[in-house]
Amino acid sequence: MATTKIASLPAAETRGEAMLLAAARAGTPANLAGLPAAQRLVRGALISALYTPGAEDGRLTFVGLNLSGAIISGPILLDSLGQSGTPAPALVLHECHPAAGAGIPLLMRGASFAAVDLAHTRLARLEARGLSCQSLVLTGLIIGTPDGRVDLEGAHLGAGSQLNGIGPAQEAQLPPLLNLAGARIAGSLNLAGSRLRALVLIGAAIEADLQLDGARLEAPGAEPAMLCNSARIGGTLRLVGTRVQGQLRLLGTALAGPL
């Protein structure tokens, strides 16, 4: 069990925050779904502080954060974590929603994590250029802002990653852009059932299949719906039941399996 020093850890302000701190110390999940809305409030700054090493005398036994059903106030800032050579412990945010506004800004640019699971959580945007993650799960991720994006340019993702079902908060809303330009994916890339305004895979390398079964790519105006130029796909490109509004560009793409 890893032990990490914590810098200036804020005191809990709600019952939900107290449950989160207790669960982090014990290495257990914190499920706030049964609490009244006011007690489910968790500050993004508290989540950021849990992942910030420091020089405080007290030590927090920390094996990752597993939080569900929270209402999160403010951005979560996790840039550059895990660059010392040891990935940051797992971050799990299930079915978490913002206290106000369209979504939760989550920044993890240049960070390294053992695992990140954001299933069915509502973000304003995910900024994670250069992220290194052994398992990234974005199943059912909701992007609440009309011009929102999931930016994973240059990311290195492990074989357990799942990006299926990403979409907007409302049917009438412009879907998010998913940027995986230059990304390296060990295994298949599963985007089945996602609804995106554009999928960018320029120069990406996918070791196995690229799966877009049942996905919707809805580019506005004359913009391309899929930019896959110079990518390498080590297996099949699956477009079974996929609906596309806009161009599919695969110039110079190397596809090992069938289309």
Side-chain angles (χ1 to χ4, degrees):
M1 181 178 294
T3 301
T4 303
K5 291 181 180 179
I6 299 298
S8 303
L9 193 64
E13 294 184 354
T14 66
R15 184 180 175 191
E17 289 191 346
M19 289 174 61
L20 172 61
L21 292 175
R25 290 185 172 95
T28 58
N31 187 345
L32 312 187
L35 297 179
Q39 295 303 311
R40 292 165 57 199
L41 193 68
V42 173
R43 289 163 291 163
L46 178 60
I47 296 173
S48 302
L50 281 167
Y51 279 91
T52 304
E56 193 174 88
D57 289 338
R59 284 176 171 269
L60 180 67
T61 300
F62 188 65
V63 292
L65 186 152
N66 190 327
L67 177 63
S68 59
I71 299 174
I72 297 177
S73 173
I76 302 172
L77 308 177
L78 302 173
D79 287 345
S80 304
L81 285 177
Q83 290 189 338
S84 61
T86 302
L91 171 66
V92 178
L93 297 174
H94 280 176
E95 298 183 2
C96 294
H97 296 273
I104 307 155
L106 174 54
L107 282 61
M108 46 201 336
R109 296 165 295 194
S112 176
F113 275 82
V116 175
D117 187 343
L118 305 173
H120 305 287
T121 282
R122 180 168 175 164
L123 300 181
R125 63 189 186 278
L126 173 59
E127 297 183 16
R129 289 192 174 207
L131 173 70
S132 176
C133 189
Q134 299 168 23
S135 174
L136 176 64
V137 177
L138 303 182
T139 300
L141 178 69
I142 302 164
I143 301 296
T145 49
D147 58 348
R149 63 173 53 212
V150 176
D151 194 345
L152 293 163
E153 182 170 341
H156 288 245
L157 306 180
S161 300
Q162 297 287 328
L163 282 69
N164 53 304
I166 299 172
Q170 305 292 337
E171 179 66 26
Q173 184 179 309
L174 186 68
L177 179 145
L178 175 56
N179 181 14
L180 284 158
R184 300 291 180 266
I185 299 162
S188 295
L189 175 58
N190 180 5
L191 297 171
S194 293
R195 183 183 168 212
L196 307 168
R197 74 171 181 269
L199 171 61
V200 181
L201 288 164
I202 296 172
I206 302 167
E207 287 191 4
D209 300 335
L210 172 55
Q211 303 172 6
L212 285 157
D213 294 357
R216 295 162 62 183
L217 305 179
E218 302 172 354
E223 296 180 19
M226 179 174 172
L227 283 168
C228 195
N229 297 352
S230 303
R232 292 184 289 113
I233 301 171
T236 298
L237 173 54
R238 291 180 55 90
L239 296 164
V240 178
T242 306
R243 296 170 58 188
V244 180
Q245 174 182 306
Q247 293 183 351
L248 300 181
R249 298 183 181 176
L250 294 93
L251 299 175
T253 293
L255 180 60
L259 170 61

